[in-house]
Every structure is written in structure tokens, then in C-alpha cells.
Amino acid sequence: VTEPTTPLQIAEYRRYWLARLLAVFATVSMVVLIGYQTYDIARSDYGMSARDAAFMLGLLGAAQFVPLAVLTPIAGVAADRFDRRHVVLCAVLVDACIAMVLAVSTLQGWLTLPLLVALAAAHGAARVFNGPALSAIAPNIVPPALLPKAIALGAIAWQVGTVVGPAAGGFLFAAHPAAPHFVSAGLLIVTAVLVQ
């Protein structure tokens, strides 16, 4: 049997790479749009000044940061003690639920500032668990000699998702405000299937 010369020759790594790309694409798009929708709703529905609406964006960022500060030690332990694929699965499914709540709330006109801040905090908590566990999967599925290539390819997936996700989310939002959230939910469900 010929040894693989690139991680992409390993089927399990291809699934992992695609899962990473889709997860980043979906979640970064979601974060950017939550920020936009928070600012927009603060201005239109709550009648806030531009300054007060910008302050709400700061609160939104804080809501995402607090879980990072509090849960990082727990997330590291979870990634070490439990099957990393299961940790990623749980985090991705939480994010898929957040995306569905955003989609339906946007579609029905139910979005409020407290809901957006709560969803941002929940996403922050999911991201704390998803990041370390997803990054730690690659060494388990490629031979040590291919690990540098696997890490480089994983970084490419992250960069592409980070750039293309918000751009695609913006185009979808222009077509219909709920569309990017439905797409994110779908991509996160596909991610959950890929990591198992």
C-alpha cells in the first residue's frame, strides 16, 4: 500500500478539512450579521442614537468574550478528556440551533436586543469548545510526517471561511435577511455529519 504524500489523500482528513471550512464559514458569517442586526435594531426599533447603538455593539462583543474568559479552562479539559469529535458535534449543534433561532426570529420579526445578546453569548460559549477540539482532531487522523501539511491546509480552510463567510452572508442578507442564517444552520448540520 502506497503511503499518502498529502493529507488530502486521506478520506477522514478530507471530511475534517471540509467540516472546518464549513464551520468557520457559517459561524463567522453569523457573528458579522449578529453585529449588523444588533446595530440596525438598536437604531430602528429602539430609536437609539448612533453612539448608543455602537455601545450596544460593545456589549455584544463583551457577551461573546465572557464565555471565552470563563469557559476556556473547561473547554481545554473537555478536548483532552472526551472524544474531540463529540465535543465538536455538541458545539456545532448548539451553533446550528442559534442559527435557526436567528433565521426564524429574523423571518418573523421577533429579534430584540436581549435575544441577540443572549444568542451572541451562547455562540461565544459554543466557540470556546469548538475551537480547541476541532483543531486537535488533525493529529489523530494523519501520520506524523504529514502533520505540518495538515496544519497548513487547516489554516487555509480557516482563512477561506473567515473571508468568504461574511461576504457570502452579506450577499444572502441582501437577498433576504433570514437567508444567511438558514444557510449557516444547514452548513453546521453538514459539519456535524462530517465530523462523526
Side-chain angles (χ1 to χ4, degrees), residues 43 45 51 61 180:
R43 296 279 282 150
D45 294 3
R51 182 179 175 190

Side-chain angles (χ1 to χ4, degrees), residues 8-74:
L8 293 174
Q9 291 174 317
I10 302 167
E12 193 173 359
Y13 182 82
R14 289 195 302 271
R15 288 193 303 274
Y16 160 79
W17 189 89
L18 184 57
R20 185 177 175 115
L21 174 67
L22 296 180
V24 172
F25 181 104
T27 57
V28 175
S29 170
M30 209 163 53
V31 167
V32 170
L33 289 171
I34 287 174
Y36 172 77
Q37 288 182 288
T38 298
Y39 185 85
D40 184 51
I41 286 172
R43 296 279 282 150
S44 62
D45 294 3
Y46 289 77
M48 291 185 182
S49 66
R51 182 179 175 190
D52 290 341
F55 180 74
M56 283 305 305
L57 284 176
L59 290 179
L60 191 76
Q64 292 180 65
F65 173 75
V66 169
L68 177 70
V70 173
L71 297 174
T72 294
I74 298 167

